């Protein structure tokens, strides 16, 4: 009974911890499938978490928090889009800038508004997302629903086909008379919305308010999951659940000796997603090949 | 639109960075206004705090030393067409190298400890950059992603080592015991004091001279050596480099190793020059700001020194600012860094076009 309940506890927290990863991972999937590399997932999550925490506290409504979170995240996504699509700038540089902007702005504004070292006041009652089914909030189910939606739209709709084509060979799409720019902006905005969802979940469901740096590298683990999943939606769910499980285990196993192995250093488990990603990228255990045009700005005349 | 822009070299080297820096400060000013402070008085405090006193100036140059190292690190990789975001992790490992060397080699003659520490920092930093470089060159893995992952791996490794292996016995905080006295890089006020010159006390130490020497060395390497030519050729046009018989694999691995070794310099300044022990998170984001420094300085050592001093001023002035105006924290500097990376890096083309437009447009009065 005791073993069963602890298994359930771990599975439960696995799901909770994988939701922000899943949102960011799907966001990266949309963006990169359209040919826009997104290092800025972390920054968008963080900005969304702050906006959601502040708005939910102000209005007392978690849903208003979600709206604000998505707004903040989409705003950053548009900055990234402007730099990398319209101005054909370096997408990685732009992503790094987004991460720093978000880290700096959330801490600065949070400290100026609330004066508590950057954190937002704790959220109570309707300011947080309450469990609606099996103890999980609506955001969990929305995020999970995004997996089949993403898979379906990308694989089975005209829009999805074009979007994938733009990420592989934009010139072909352009020749067919379809706007590369519009498709890529659409993908970047979808990425913004998804990161908004993930960030809001962090601040208004997983915790009760925003803490500076609360994303703690989740945007980068999502990037790792995206590579692990080879830029596909269903495997992305699997990868995020796996990485969420690792995080749950690393919390659970803190200071607990395992039979036969002894005490596993928490850090060994925490390092797993990064190690897996490095190995996969190096082509050990199945090659991970990104979309062909990812990271390359599209220049019409060529 | 995609025709190559022809703007004079002085405009490209001086004017474009100046315009993007000015725009970044404009944005920062707007943020300051948004949180209800007065940008002008903030600027005054920043300048006063960073340059207004000998002590402030010392701290400004101490921080600038950090930025010179991380900026050079990013720049060397840039020249080879590589984007090394792993400065944080490489500096962290550099710190580990310093700690391992200094805590275990204390029996060496005292005068050897400083060079040994510097070499250990460079070697460990280089090793942590070598692996991503090798994986990119030989296995085709993307260097950006690998270096990001290596940053996190470095953090995790450090938490483990400081928590379980290297921690000073009986200490609660995650740090090692102090390094041997002989390994402390002399602070500038102590050093000049030996010659009877009195300057205000600060963290500024002789690592600054190492950083300036590194600038000269990088300049010689990149612009005056055969290897530097190979690095720049691979960076500018890998296909042409291959035709010229330059091995991209070799250049990638070497450029990354040099880059990592330079990042290790941050650990020398922070740990051997100031903290005198290894502690968690001593890199404190300097590695990321190094990207802004390199972009602003156009990946040239001279530009990097100027950009480093600017960021040193922001850091030191920011600390003063946090005293006087509790509403503004040092995170403001991260905002400025982010905007600068955006403007001087990702939106570089936009600013070049703006400058080119302004330069070619003739004044109306002349046309009439």
């Amino acid at each position: 009974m005791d073993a069963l309940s602890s298994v359930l506890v771990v599975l439960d927290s696995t799901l909770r911890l994988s939701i922000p990863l899943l949102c960011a991972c799907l966001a990266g999937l949309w963006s990169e499938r359209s040919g826009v590399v997104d290092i800025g997932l972390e920054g968008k999550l963080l900005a969304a978490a702050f906006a959601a925490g502040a708005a939910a506290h102000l209005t007392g409504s978690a849903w208003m928090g979600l709206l604000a979170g998505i707004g903040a995240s989409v705003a950053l996504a548009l900055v990234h889009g402007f730099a990398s699509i319209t101005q054909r700038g370096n997408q990685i540089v732009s992503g790094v800038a987004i991460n720093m902007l978000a880290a700096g702005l959330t801490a600065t504004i949070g400290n100026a508004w609330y004066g508590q070292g950057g954190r937002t006041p704790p959220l109570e009652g309707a300011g947080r997302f309450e469990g609606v089914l099996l103890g999980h909030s609506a955001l969990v189910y929305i995020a999970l629903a995004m997996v089949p939606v993403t898979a379906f739209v990308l694989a089975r709709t005209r829009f999805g086909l074009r979007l994938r084509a733009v990420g592989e060979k934009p010139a072909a799409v352009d020749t067919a008379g379809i706007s590369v720019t519009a498709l890529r902006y659409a993908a970047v905005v979808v990425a913004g919305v998804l990161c908004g969802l993930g960030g809001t979940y962090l601040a208004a469901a997983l915790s009760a308010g925003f803490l500076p740096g609360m994303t703690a590298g989740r945007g980068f683990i999502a990037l790792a999951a995206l590579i692990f999943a080879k830029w596909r939606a269903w495997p992305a769910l699997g990868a995020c659940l796996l990485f969420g499980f690792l995080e749950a285990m690393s919390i659970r196993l803190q200071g607990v000796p395992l039979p036969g192995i002894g005490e596993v250093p928490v850090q060994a488990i925490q390092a797993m997603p990064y190690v897996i990603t490095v190995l996969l990228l190096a082509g050990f255990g199945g090659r991970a090949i990104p979309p062909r045009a990812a990271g390359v700005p599209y220049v019409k005349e060529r | 639109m995609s025709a190559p822009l022809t703007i004079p070299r002085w405009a490209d080297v001086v004017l474009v960075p100046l315009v993007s820096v000015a725009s970044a400060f404009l944005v920062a000013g707007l943020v300051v206004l948004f949180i209800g402070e007065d940008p002008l008085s903030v600027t005054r405090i920043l300048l006063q705090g960073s340059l207004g006193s000998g002590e402030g100036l010392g701290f400004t140059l101490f921080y600038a030393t950090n930025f010179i190292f991380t900026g050079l690190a990013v720049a060397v990789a840039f020249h080879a067409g590589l984007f090394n975001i792993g400065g944080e992790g490489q500096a962290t490992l550099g710190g580990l190298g310093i700690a391992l060397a200094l805590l275990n080699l204390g029996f060496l003659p005292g005068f050897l400890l400083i060079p040994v520490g510097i070499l250990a920092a460079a070697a460990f930093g280089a090793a942590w950059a070598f692996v991503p470089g090798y994986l990119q060159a030989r296995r085709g893995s993307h260097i950006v992603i690998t270096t990001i992952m290596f940053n996190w791996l470095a953090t995790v490794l450090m938490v483990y080592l400081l928590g379980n292996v290297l921690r000073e016995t009986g200490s609660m905080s995650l740090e090692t015991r102090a390094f041997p006295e002989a390994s402390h890089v002399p602070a500038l006020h102590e050093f000049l004091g030996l010659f009877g010159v009195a300057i205000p006390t600060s963290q500024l130490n002789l690592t600054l001279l190492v950083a300036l020497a590194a600038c000269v060395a990088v300049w010689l390497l990149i612009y005056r050596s055969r290897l530097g030519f190979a690095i720049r050729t691979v960076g500018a046009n890998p296909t042409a480099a291959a035709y010229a018989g330059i091995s991209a694999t070799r250049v990638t691995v070497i450029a990354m190793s040099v880059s990592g070794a330079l990042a290790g310099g941050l650990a020398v300044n922070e740990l051997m020059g100031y903290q005198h022990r290894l502690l968690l998170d001593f890199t404190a984001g300097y590695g990321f700001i190094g990207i802004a420094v390199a972009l602003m300085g156009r990946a040239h050592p001279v530009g990097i020194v100027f950009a480093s001093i600017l960021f040193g001023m922001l850091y030191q002035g920011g600390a003063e600012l946090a005293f006087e105006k509790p509403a503004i924290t040092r995170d403001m500097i991260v905002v400025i860094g982010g905007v600068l990376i955006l403007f001087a890096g990702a939106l570089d083309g936009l600013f070049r076009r703006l400058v080119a437009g302004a330069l070619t447009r003739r004044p109306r009065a002349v046309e009439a």
Side-chain angles (χ1 to χ4, degrees):
Chain A
M1 193 57 212
D2 196 36
L4 182 68
S5 72
S6 53
V7 166
L8 283 178
V9 167
V10 166
L11 288 183
D12 194 61
S13 52
T14 295
L15 185 59
R16 277 175 215 285
L17 292 168
S18 47
I19 292 303
L21 296 180
L22 180 65
C23 294
C25 185
L26 290 176
L29 193 149
W30 275 86
S31 182
E32 302 209 348
R33 270 304 182 89
S34 81
V36 181
V37 167
D38 198 349
I39 303 283
L41 297 171
E42 175 88 356
K44 290 202 279 276
L45 277 183
L46 195 63
F50 174 72
H57 172 255
L58 188 71
T59 61
S61 152
W63 291 99
M64 291 309 288
L66 177 63
L67 211 60
I70 290 178
S73 172
V74 167
L76 283 183
L78 286 175
V79 171
H80 185 55
F82 177 72
S84 44
I85 304 168
T86 307
Q87 294 298 331
R88 299 179 207 133
N90 186 320
Q91 301 171 5
I92 288 161
V93 175
S94 164
V96 172
I98 300 284
N99 287 338
M100 284 184 64
L101 266 180
L105 281 177
T106 52
T108 306
I109 298 176
N111 188 61
W113 281 357
Y114 304 108
Q116 299 169 348
R119 63 179 65 191
T120 61
L123 299 175
E124 289 157 354
R128 278 188 77 195
F129 284 93
E130 304 284 344
V132 290
L133 183 64
L134 299 171
H136 291 286
S137 65
L139 291 188
V140 172
Y141 299 100
I142 296 175
L144 288 175
M146 285 303 138
V147 178
V149 169
T150 299
F152 178 81
V153 171
L154 286 182
R156 297 265 181 266
T157 66
R158 180 192 300 230
F159 171 65
L161 174 69
R162 288 173 173 175
L163 196 110
R164 282 183 292 134
V166 151
E168 300 289 335
K169 202 156 178 48
V173 180
D174 199 16
T175 313
I178 304 155
S179 165
V180 174
T181 309
L183 276 167
R184 286 193 168 167
Y185 264 106
V188 165
V189 168
V190 172
V193 172
L194 286 167
C195 278
L197 192 63
T200 306
Y201 179 79
L202 274 176
L206 202 59
S207 337
F210 171 83
L211 297 170
M214 77 184 305
T215 44
R218 287 192 170 87
F220 296 110
I221 298 204
L223 215 54
L226 181 60
I227 294 163
F228 196 24
K230 299 182 181 166
W231 292 268
R232 289 167 302 163
W234 285 106
L237 175 63
C240 291
L241 284 173
L242 172 68
F243 291 170
F245 173 72
L246 289 174
E247 197 183 339
M249 288 306 278
S250 75
I251 297 170
R252 184 88 190 151
L253 288 182
Q254 213 133 26
V256 182
L258 281 186
I261 312 173
E263 197 174 312
V264 181
V266 180
Q267 290 81 16
I269 306 173
Q270 286 170 343
M272 295 273 284
Y274 311 121
V275 174
I276 291 175
T277 309
V278 170
L279 290 180
L280 272 176
L281 272 179
F284 300 107
R287 200 135 191 68
I289 300 162
R292 225 186 147 90
V296 188
Y298 180 61
V299 184
K300 217 175 171 71
E301 293 94 316
R302 270 181 206 153
Chain B
M1 190 67 175
S2 58
L5 281 173
T6 46
I7 53 177
R9 203 175 128 72
W10 66 269
D12 192 28
V13 174
V14 180
L15 201 55
V16 175
L18 279 185
V19 171
S20 44
V21 170
S23 316
F25 278 99
L26 213 63
V27 172
L30 291 178
V31 174
V32 171
L33 270 181
F34 178 71
I35 58 178
E37 293 286 349
D38 170 26
L40 285 180
S41 78
V42 164
T43 314
R44 197 178 46 76
I45 297 173
L46 268 178
L47 288 174
Q48 184 68 35
S50 57
L51 303 177
S53 68
E55 189 195 1
L57 188 63
F59 278 95
T60 296
L61 291 176
F62 171 78
Y63 295 125
T65 310
N66 285 341
F67 293 126
I68 291 177
F69 281 121
T70 54
L72 286 178
V74 176
V76 168
F78 262 165
H79 280 290
L82 301 164
F83 194 25
N84 175 15
I85 347 192
E88 289 278 308
Q90 289 142 22
T92 303
L93 264 281
L96 178 65
I98 290 177
L100 290 180
L102 296 184
L103 294 177
N104 293 311
L105 300 176
F107 57 85
L108 288 176
F111 69 91
L112 275 181
L113 284 183
I114 290 178
V116 162
I118 293 175
L119 285 180
F124 273 64
W128 205 246
F130 169 84
V131 181
Y134 178 82
L135 290 177
Q136 151 117 359
R138 275 299 166 81
R139 315 275 320 184
S141 35
H142 202 304
I143 204 141
V144 171
I145 309 284
T146 327
T147 47
I148 290 177
M149 297 304 147
F150 267 59
N151 279 343
W152 291 98
L153 283 173
T155 311
V156 171
L157 178 72
M158 204 59 143
V159 173
Y160 174 74
L161 288 179
L162 281 176
N164 302 290
V165 186
L166 293 172
R167 175 162 33 171
E168 184 175 15
T169 35
S171 165
M172 283 307 286
S173 50
L174 291 181
E175 52 185 42
T176 62
R177 65 190 154 86
F179 300 151
E181 193 83 24
S183 72
H184 299 184
V185 176
L188 199 66
H189 61 93
E190 290 167 8
F191 184 74
L192 290 181
L194 296 180
F195 304 100
V197 183
I199 60 163
T201 309
S202 72
Q203 296 171 11
L204 179 62
N205 60 76
L206 294 182
T207 313
L208 175 64
L209 302 182
V210 181
L212 294 176
C215 285
V216 177
V218 166
W219 183 79
L220 287 173
L221 168 74
I222 297 293
Y223 296 103
R224 285 292 178 271
S225 79
R226 181 184 276 262
L227 176 63
F229 182 73
I231 289 178
R232 284 183 292 138
T233 311
V234 169
N237 191 337
T239 324
Y243 269 112
I246 297 171
S247 157
T249 307
R250 185 171 155 266
V251 164
T252 302
V253 169
I254 292 178
M256 276 306 283
S257 303
V258 171
S259 174
L262 286 164
L266 164 60
V268 174
N269 191 44
E270 277 287 330
L271 301 183
M272 288 169 63
Y274 167 51
Q275 303 276 3
H276 305 310
R277 58 180 70 228
L278 175 62
L279 63 173
L280 207 58
D281 289 336
F282 69 90
T283 52
Y286 291 112
F288 291 120
I289 303 264
I291 301 167
V293 169
L295 286 168
M296 243 175 78
R298 297 270 158 190
H300 190 288
V302 175
I304 287 171
V305 170
F306 280 117
S308 299
I309 292 175
L310 178 70
F311 269 101
M313 286 169 58
L314 288 175
Y315 247 62
Q316 166 55 18
E320 296 286 314
L321 197 58
F323 263 129
E324 299 213 13
K325 303 214 178 238
I328 300 183
T329 55
R330 240 194 215 180
D331 301 301
M332 193 67 216
I333 311 310
V334 180
V335 178
I336 298 179
V339 179
L340 264 173
I341 293 180
L342 191 67
F343 284 1
L347 292 177
D348 188 47
L350 175 66
F351 282 97
R352 284 168 59 98
R353 270 197 296 283
L354 287 179
V355 168
L359 285 179
T360 48
R361 196 178 307 130
R362 298 195 181 284
R364 290 247 167 88
V366 178
E367 275 176 290

